[in-house]
């Protein structure tokens, strides 16, 4: 058996001062360890891992693009992974198993020394013991992370209702919160959006909007009209199975056509 | 926009914000026990009053007066419930009601008399006693009908004004509650632990490496923490304080991601003494970092600006980050901010969000517009 080469490490963190600090402490605590690469995000971490195949990887959990947990899934059991995170609430839970270690930022040198000790033991055990299967654990962790960063990772979670309507107002594209939209009415090729702060034409059709808007809030009352229920003041029945919708604090009266009038029946 | 307003009903509720003299459907007028009671009451009184002077017995007179009262009531309610577009010549509803009642009184009396003589017009017109009776009854019905109609219209108008005042009151207390809630939320969640610990980790790195940057960064952190601590008793908050807070925050973030964050603050000095709700601008800057710059591998640039224009003061935070998905759930931060602006400046204040570039959707610009 050949003499083992000195262990090598990869550090991934989007904050450069923290990469440097970790590298500095590692150099003091574990002089044989070579930090062969530093990555600024998950994508870089995966690329550099494939290039250098280090035995040890320090991953910041919160990184732009591909986050630390996703990167860890890409690396799998090919290296000993240590998470570095300020999100201690779930990291603690996930890594109690001792399969990999975690560091909560800001950490001190004695804490890092314990991590180094653990890593040395792990690498010394030759051949490496079969790593427990981390995949399900990492999947769970990734889910929780996505939940926490929900707002940032928004689009990733399947079809959701429209929350913002893009509309050109003058030279800019305004984002109108759907909570403020009073009604939408088709106007030839375009759709007129009327909200508390003004009105604008958008290119989406009433049909598309009816599919994308939250049905608990928006109701189509006419082939060409969608109204937001919280802005409905009253519905006045008219002749011939039709009705008129009067709005709260607005002069417009919207028509309810016969095929949509049933929606107000049970109210 | 409260939950209970979601149920639409066709019972009497006027749209908010309508002028008291407006055209909307009436509040009171409907065929209910009250209006029916009034009509029957007057009919009985008329029958009692006329019995000594008329040939037919009381019950016959009562039947006639009840019939007449119902005709007048139906005329009244009918016009009141008529959809706007069916009112003739676009006349106001009160006039149409008065006309309808005025026509229904003699017409109804005529029908009553015609029925009593078996439908023969000549038998009725040829009898002077019947003609006198007709005129007396028609006249009484006309006068009573018109008096009651006008009284009802007056009460209707009052009820409408009351219901409107109530609605305004409700709206006002709702806004106040929102503002209080927003202030409370602000006091509870001042400094995010992640932000604090990540920043401290960076400061620690600077201190350990004896970096000369440690001292100014620590100064920024102190300035940020001081500004972000809840302060209940303090003088009038102004924009200058808020800008210092925003600068401290951006400096800290720039220390943490020097390769990814650039920023510029350029606000008209005339705005420095502007009364400004604490943390309002910071909320927008934090959003720009968290949702715009931080998720972008290459980061971006944040511009904080403000100008005093003739009609309004405008403050904005623009970033060149990843922009926003149309389905992104709006956080409580923006809703709270809207409520706080409304509470602080009144309903004229506006928070506008716009994209920096439409295609591809990129970057966000949040603008606070404060009419002067």
């Amino acid at each position: 058996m050949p003499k083992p080469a000195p262990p090598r490490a990869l550090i991934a963190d989007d904050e450069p001062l923290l990469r440097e600090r970790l590298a500095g402490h590692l150099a003091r605590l574990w002089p044989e360890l070579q930090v062969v690469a530093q990555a600024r995000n998950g994508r870089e971490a995966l690329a550099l891992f494939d290039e250098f195949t280090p035995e040890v990887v320090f991953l910041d959990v919160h990184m732009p693009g591909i986050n630390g947990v996703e990167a860890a899934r890409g690396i799998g059991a090919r290296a000993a992974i240590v998470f570095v995170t300020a999100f201690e609430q779930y990291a603690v839970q996930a890594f109690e198993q001792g399969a990999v270690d975690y560091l909560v930022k800001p950490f001190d040198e004695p804490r890092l020394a314990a991590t180094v000790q653990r890593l040395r033991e792990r690498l010394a055990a030759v051949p490496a013991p079969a790593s427990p299967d981390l995949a399900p654990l990492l999947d769970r962790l990734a889910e929780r992370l996505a939940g926490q960063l929900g707002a940032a990772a928004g689009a990733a979670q399947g079809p959701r209702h429209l929350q913002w309507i893009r509309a050109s107002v003058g030279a800019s594209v305004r984002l109108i919160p759907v909570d403020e939209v009073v009604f939408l009415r088709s106007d030839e090729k375009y759709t007129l959006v009327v909200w508390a702060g003004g009105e604008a034409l958008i290119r989406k059709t009433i049909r598309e909007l009816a599919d994308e808007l939250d049905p608990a809030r928006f109701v189509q009352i006419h082939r060409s009209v969608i109204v937001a229920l919280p802005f409905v003041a009253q519905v006045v029945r008219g002749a011939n199975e039709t009705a008129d919708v009067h709005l709260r604090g607005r002069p417009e009266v919207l028509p309810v056509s016969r095929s949509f009038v049933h929606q107000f029946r049970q109210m | 926009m409260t939950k209970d307003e979601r149920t639409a009903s066709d019972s009497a509720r006027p749209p908010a914000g309508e002028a008291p003299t407006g055209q909307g459907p009436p509040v009171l007028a409907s065929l209910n026990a009250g209006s029916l009671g009034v009509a029957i009451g007057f009919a009985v009184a008329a029958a009692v009053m006329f019995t000594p002077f008329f040939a037919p017995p009381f019950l016959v007179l009562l039947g006639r007066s009840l019939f007449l009262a119902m005709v007048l009531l139906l005329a009244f309610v009918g016009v009141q419930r008529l959809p706007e577009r069916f009112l003739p010549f676009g006349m106001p509803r009160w006039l149409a009601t008065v006309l309808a009642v005025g026509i229904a009184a003699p017409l109804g009396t005529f029908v009553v008399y015609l029925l009593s003589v078996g439908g023969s017009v000549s038998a009725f017109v040829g009898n002077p006693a019947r003609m006198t009776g007709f005129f007396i009854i028609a006249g009484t019905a006309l006068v009573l009908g018109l008096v009651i109609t006008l009284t009802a219209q007056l009460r209707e108008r009052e009820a409408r004004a009351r219901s409107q005042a109530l609605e305004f009151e409700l709206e006002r207390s709702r806004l106040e509650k929102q503002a209080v809630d927003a202030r409370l939320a602000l006091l509870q969640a001042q400094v995010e632990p992640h932000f604090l610990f990540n920043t401290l980790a960076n400061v620690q790195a600077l201190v350990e490496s004896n970096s000369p940057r440690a001292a100014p960064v620590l100064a920024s952190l102190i300035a940020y923490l001081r500004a972000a601590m809840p302060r209940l008793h303090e003088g009038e908050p102004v924009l200058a304080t808020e800008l210092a807070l925003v600068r401290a925050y951006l400096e800290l973030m720039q220390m943490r991601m020097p390769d990814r964050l650039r920023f510029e603050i350029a606000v008209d000095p005339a705005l420095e003494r502007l009364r400004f709700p604490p943390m309002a601008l910071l909320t927008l800057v934090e959003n720009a970092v968290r949702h715009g710059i931080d998720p972008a591998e290459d980061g971006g640039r944040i511009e904080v600006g403000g100008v005093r224009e003739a009609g309004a003061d405008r403050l904005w935070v623009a970033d060149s980050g990843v922009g926003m998905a149309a389905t992104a759930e709006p956080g409580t931060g923006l809703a709270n901010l809207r409520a706080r602006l409304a509470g602080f400046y009144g309903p004229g204040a506006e928070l506008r969000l716009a994209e920096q570039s439409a295609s591809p959707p990129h970057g966000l610009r949040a603008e606070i517009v404060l009419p002067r």
Side-chain angles (χ1 to χ4, degrees):
Chain A
M1 195 187 270
K3 190 176 173 242
R8 292 161 311 144
L10 165 69
I11 296 175
D13 193 321
D14 59 327
E15 303 191 14
L17 283 172
L18 302 188
R19 291 197 300 267
E20 291 303 334
R21 172 167 189 265
L22 180 57
H25 283 283
L26 283 173
R28 213 165 34 249
L29 292 169
W30 194 356
E32 316 89 273
L33 183 76
Q34 294 176 8
V35 175
V36 289
Q38 295 192 7
R40 295 175 301 163
N41 53 56
R43 201 176 42 78
E44 276 186 18
L46 286 174
L48 289 169
F49 178 82
D50 286 341
E51 188 180 339
F52 292 99
T53 59
E55 291 77 27
V56 178
V57 179
F58 291 89
L59 286 174
D60 179 21
V61 171
H62 182 87
M63 288 190 291
I66 296 174
N67 68 39
V69 174
E70 290 163 340
R73 260 193 291 190
I75 293 168
R78 293 183 286 163
I81 292 171
V82 176
F83 283 105
V84 187
T85 175
F87 292 76
E88 99 188 86
Q89 62 272 39
Y90 59 85
V92 172
Q93 221 176 329
F95 300 108
E96 274 165 354
Q97 334 241 346
V100 280
D101 205 356
Y102 66 90
L103 288 166
V104 176
K105 290 191 264 191
F107 54 84
D108 53 20
E109 206 171 274
R111 179 64 187 85
L112 182 62
T115 301
V116 166
Q117 183 57 34
R118 233 182 249 200
L119 285 168
R120 281 180 193 270
E121 283 165 14
R122 164 70 58 88
L123 296 182
V126 182
S131 256
D133 190 8
L134 277 181
L137 190 66
L138 289 173
D139 283 343
R140 272 211 309 284
L141 197 56
E143 256 167 49
R144 297 186 57 175
L145 189 65
Q148 288 201 346
L149 307 175
Q157 306 195 352
R160 290 221 234 139
H161 299 305
L162 213 56
Q163 301 289 342
W164 306 89
I165 290 178
R166 293 192 158 82
S168 299
V169 177
S172 68
V173 179
R174 286 280 292 277
L175 287 161
I176 302 152
V178 293
D179 281 0
E180 292 188 9
V181 173
V182 181
F183 67 90
L184 304 112
R185 181 160 55 198
S186 76
D187 184 21
E188 295 182 3
K189 280 194 295 187
Y190 302 96
T191 300
L192 181 74
V193 190
V194 177
W195 75 97
E199 50 186 66
L201 290 173
I202 60 173
R203 278 176 196 281
K204 276 194 176 154
T205 63
I206 283 287
R207 181 184 283 262
E208 289 171 300
L209 289 161
D211 289 342
E212 292 173 10
L213 289 165
D214 180 2
R217 184 180 182 90
F218 289 93
V219 173
Q220 184 164 14
I221 55 169
H222 189 275
R223 192 166 38 83
S224 61
V225 181
I226 293 175
V227 71
L229 287 176
F231 287 95
V232 172
Q234 54 183 342
V235 181
V236 178
R237 265 172 218 147
N240 217 351
E241 289 285 285
T242 62
D244 288 331
V245 166
H246 293 254
L247 299 167
R248 247 159 224 287
R250 298 192 69 94
E252 293 98 337
V253 174
L254 305 173
V256 185
S257 60
R258 203 183 309 181
S259 38
F260 294 100
V261 85
H262 64 274
Q263 302 179 89
F264 296 108
R265 239 327 110 91
Q266 75 280 19
M267 292 179 174
Chain B
M1 280 184 264
T2 54
K3 273 172 274 146
D4 58 325
E5 288 166 2
R6 288 195 173 207
T7 48
S9 78
D10 64 352
S11 76
R13 215 158 16 137
E18 186 182 299
T21 52
Q23 300 282 301
V27 178
L28 289 178
S30 60
L31 203 55
N32 55 24
S35 57
L36 215 58
V38 169
I40 291 174
F42 274 95
V44 172
V48 169
M49 232 171 64
F50 284 130
T51 304
F53 311 104
F54 279 72
F58 170 71
L59 279 180
V60 173
L61 282 180
L62 181 61
R64 290 180 188 175
S65 65
L66 276 177
F67 174 80
L68 207 51
M70 290 307 118
V71 168
L72 296 185
L73 180 61
L74 282 179
F76 173 77
V77 172
V79 177
Q80 290 284 303
R81 314 271 322 155
L82 207 61
E84 200 68 44
R85 58 183 180 279
F86 294 134
L87 290 175
F89 318 117
M91 69 171 65
R93 193 180 290 277
W94 71 267
L95 186 59
T97 313
V98 166
L99 282 181
V101 172
I103 294 169
L107 217 62
T109 316
F110 184 69
V111 170
V112 166
Y113 270 84
L114 219 55
L115 287 175
S116 73
V117 296
S120 158
V121 178
S122 60
F124 165 46
V125 178
N127 185 330
R130 286 212 168 105
M131 279 306 283
T132 314
F134 166 80
F135 281 117
I136 291 176
I137 292 186
T140 312
L142 189 65
V143 170
L144 275 182
L146 287 183
V147 167
I148 296 171
T149 302
L150 288 171
T151 311
Q153 302 265 4
L154 217 65
R155 287 190 50 210
E156 162 76 30
R157 191 168 291 199
E158 277 169 13
R160 192 180 287 249
R162 259 202 313 279
S163 109
Q164 193 156 50
L166 217 68
E167 194 137 344
F168 280 142
E169 186 59 31
L170 214 70
E171 177 72 10
R172 206 175 58 84
S173 63
R174 197 177 60 78
L175 276 179
E176 268 173 14
K177 182 179 175 304
Q178 267 181 9
V180 169
D181 285 353
R183 250 203 328 270
L184 220 63
L186 191 75
L187 290 180
Q188 281 164 357
Q190 292 281 344
V191 179
E192 247 199 281
H194 295 153
F195 168 78
L196 189 57
F197 285 122
N198 267 317
T199 303
L200 283 173
N202 277 274
V203 173
Q204 189 180 34
L206 289 176
V207 171
E208 282 176 6
S209 62
N210 285 324
S211 163
R213 285 168 57 211
V217 164
L218 213 50
S220 288
L221 182 57
I222 290 168
Y224 173 83
L225 288 175
R226 179 162 292 150
M229 285 298 149
R231 287 156 300 170
L232 293 169
H233 313 287
E234 204 179 69
E236 189 137 273
V238 292
L239 185 62
T241 321
E242 179 76 0
L243 287 174
L245 172 63
V246 162
R247 183 176 293 281
Y249 173 79
L250 283 171
E251 278 168 356
L252 291 174
M253 288 315 294
Q254 198 179 37
M255 161 197 71
R256 287 173 49 185
M257 33 172 114
D259 48 343
R260 293 203 293 140
L261 173 64
R262 284 157 293 135
F263 73 88
E264 185 193 354
I265 300 178
V267 174
D268 188 342
L271 288 175
E272 285 193 348
R273 305 309 304 165
L274 175 71
R275 215 167 60 85
F276 197 79
M279 316 287 280
L281 208 54
L282 183 72
T283 301
L284 295 177
V285 173
E286 282 177 342
N287 276 349
V289 170
R290 195 175 308 148
H291 304 305
I293 307 300
D294 197 31
E297 286 183 4
D298 296 326
R301 185 184 146 77
I302 290 180
E303 184 205 337
V304 179
V307 290
R308 168 154 284 186
E309 289 175 353
D313 291 330
R314 303 153 78 85
L315 292 157
W316 64 86
V317 175
D319 71 71
S320 64
V322 297
M324 187 163 63
T327 52
E329 294 280 348
T332 52
L334 285 184
N336 274 342
L337 179 54
R338 280 202 165 88
R340 295 194 66 220
L341 289 175
F344 204 79
Y345 296 109
E350 222 190 314
L351 172 63
R352 295 179 186 161
L353 290 186
E355 266 163 4
Q356 290 277 74
S357 129
S359 53
H362 208 257
L364 214 62
R365 177 189 176 94
E367 186 165 283
I368 297 174
V369 183
L370 307 171
R372 299 177 62 203

